Amino acid sequence: MTFDDGELEGRPPIIHSMIAGGLGGTTGDMLMHSLDTVKTRQQGDPHLPPKYTSLGSSYYTIWRQEGVARGLYGGWLPAMMGSFPGTVLFFGTYEWSKRHMLEYGIQPHLAYLTAGFLGDFAASVVYVPSEVLKTRLQLQGRFNNPHFKSGYNYRGTFDAMKTIVRTEGFPELFSGYKATLYRDLPFSALQFMFYEQFQSWARQYKKSREIGVQLELLTGAAGGGLAGVITCPLDVVKTRLQTQIDPVPVPIVKPKDRLATEPLSVHQDTVSKSSQSASPPKQQKRPISTSSPSTHTPRPGAMPLDEDSIFRGLKLIYKTEGIGGWFRGVGPRFVWTSVQSGCMLFLYQTILRQLEVWLPVERSDFSA
C-alpha cells in the first residue's frame, strides 16, 4: 500500500471531515475578512473619483475612520453564518463523492475535480445568500456611516435580511448566483485536484502520511494559488458583469416619426422637452461580488460587457485588451487565494488529527 493509491488508506470518517472543514474554513474566512472588506469597498465604490484605490491606503483609511469591528470587520456575522454550514456541506459532499468515485475505479484526478464541482455546488445554496448580506454590510460599514455613502443603510444583519426580502424580494438574496458559480465551481474543482496531488507528492517525499507543518501550508497554498491564477479570466468577467453600471436608456424618436413639414429644430426641441418632463429614471444599481473578494479592478475606459455571458465576455475582453485583459489583478488574486487556501487546509488537517485523538474510530472498514 502506497501513499497515493486512491486514498484507500487512513480515511477519516466523513463526519470528521465535515467538522474539520467547517471549523477550518470558517477560521480561514475570518482571518481574511478584513481584506475581503477592503476589496468589496474598492469593487463597489460608487463615487467618482473612487475613494478607495490601492490596497494599503484603503485598508488604512477604513481602519482610521471606521475602526475594526464596524469597519474592517463589518459583515462578519453573516460571513460566519454562511461560512460554517457552507464548508460543512462542501467537505461532506466532496469526501462522499470522491470516495465513491474512487471505489468505482474512476481516475483519481477526475474524481477530485468532479468532487470539487459537486462540493461547491452543494455549498452555494448556503453561502450565496450569506455573501449578499455580508457584502452589503461590508460596503455600508456602520449604520449611518458618515465616512462612506454606499446606498445601503441597515441596522444589522437581520434588519438587512428583512429589508431586502420586503423591498426587493426573496430572489435578491441569490443575486449573482449564476456568475458566482461560473467562477467558484472551476476554482474549487482545480483547487482540490491540485491539493490532493501536492499532498500525494509530499507524502511520497516524506515516505509518511505526516508531512509536517511547512509542507501542509505549502500544499494548501499552492493548490489555491494555482487554481486562482488559472481561473483569473473568469474572475475578471464576473467582476465586470457584476460591477459595471448600465447606462440609462434614452428614448429616441426616429426621423420618420416626425412630420415632413416640421422643422428639425422644432423636432429636437420637442424631444428635449419630453425628456425633461419624463419621470426621472430609477437609480441605477451597482451589483457587487457575492463570493470571495475579487482582486480585479477594470482599467479606466474598459469596454463594458453588454451581454450577460461569460464566454462572450471572455471573447470581448481578449479582442479589446488582449491576453493581459484576462489576467488583470492576477497578482493580488494569487496572494489572496494562496493565503486563504493554505490557512483553511492546514487547519483542516490539524483538526482532523485532533478528532482522531478525541473521537477514535475503528479503521478496519477503510483499509484495503
Side-chain angles (χ1 to χ4, degrees), residues 15 51 66 69 100 221 299 354:
I15 187 64
K51 179 177 180 178
E66 303 175 46
H100 278 73
R299 65 176 175 81
Q354 288 300 317

Side-chain angles (χ1 to χ4, degrees), residues 324-366:
W326 281 358
F327 289 92
R328 288 187 63 83
V330 67
R333 177 166 173 78
F334 173 76
V335 172
W336 193 95
T337 53
S338 297
V339 174
Q340 196 276 343
S341 180
C343 291
M344 178 186 71
L345 293 171
F346 169 71
L347 290 170
Y348 170 70
Q349 294 291 349
T350 302
I351 295 169
L352 270 183
R353 287 191 289 269
Q354 288 300 317
L355 289 174
E356 290 178 0
V357 175
W358 297 335
L359 303 170
V361 295
E362 182 62 44
R363 289 191 176 276
S364 59
D365 294 336
F366 299 111

Side-chain angles (χ1 to χ4, degrees), residues 57 63 90 95 97 123 147 151 181 187 191 212 216 248 278 307 323:
S57 64
W63 171 74
F90 175 87
E95 286 293 332
S97 56
H147 303 289
L181 292 186
F187 171 78
Q191 175 190 24
E216 288 283 7
V248 179
E307 313 93 354
I323 195 72

Side-chain angles (χ1 to χ4, degrees), residues 22-172:
L23 294 174
T26 303
T27 304
D29 287 342
M30 289 296 100
L31 288 173
M32 301 298 293
H33 188 83
S34 60
L35 178 60
D36 188 357
T37 298
V38 173
K39 298 311 296 183
T40 299
R41 290 285 182 95
Q42 289 182 321
Q43 191 177 7
D45 189 352
H47 303 93
L48 290 175
K51 179 177 180 178
Y52 303 107
T53 52
S54 68
L55 178 63
S57 64
S58 301
Y59 204 101
Y60 176 74
T61 299
I62 296 172
W63 171 74
R64 179 173 54 85
Q65 293 182 342
E66 303 175 46
V68 175
R70 296 296 182 90
L72 292 172
Y73 270 80
W76 69 269
L77 182 58
M80 187 172 64
M81 291 170 61
S83 180
F84 183 76
T87 47
V88 165
L89 283 173
F90 175 87
F91 279 94
T93 304
Y94 175 80
E95 286 293 332
W96 184 87
S97 56
K98 177 187 76 172
R99 295 177 189 188
H100 278 73
M101 284 187 283
L102 291 173
E103 288 170 358
Y104 280 104
I106 295 177
Q107 203 274 339
H109 293 95
L110 181 59
Y112 303 146
L113 194 73
T114 306
F117 265 97
L118 296 175
D120 199 85
F121 182 75
S124 66
V125 179
V126 174
Y127 75 69
V128 171
S130 70
E131 291 283 345
V132 170
L133 296 171
K134 183 200 74 173
T135 50
R136 291 195 180 194
L137 290 169
Q138 284 176 312
L139 194 61
Q140 165 192 312
R142 70 188 191 205
F143 182 62
N144 290 331
N145 189 351
H147 303 289
F148 183 71
K149 302 301 181 183
S150 64
Y152 303 120
N153 196 29
Y154 307 115
R155 294 182 180 274
T157 300
F158 298 103
D159 178 60
M161 183 186 304
K162 291 188 294 183
T163 303
I164 292 171
V165 172
R166 185 179 70 251
T167 60
E168 303 176 57
F170 183 79
E172 186 63 23

Side-chain angles (χ1 to χ4, degrees), residues 17 30 55 57 106 121 128 186 189 193 205 234 245 253 270 275 302 317 334:
S17 296
M30 289 296 100
L55 178 63
S57 64
I106 295 177
F121 182 75
V128 171
M193 184 185 72
Y205 174 74
L234 297 174
I245 302 177
V253 179
T270 303
S275 63
I317 291 173
F334 173 76

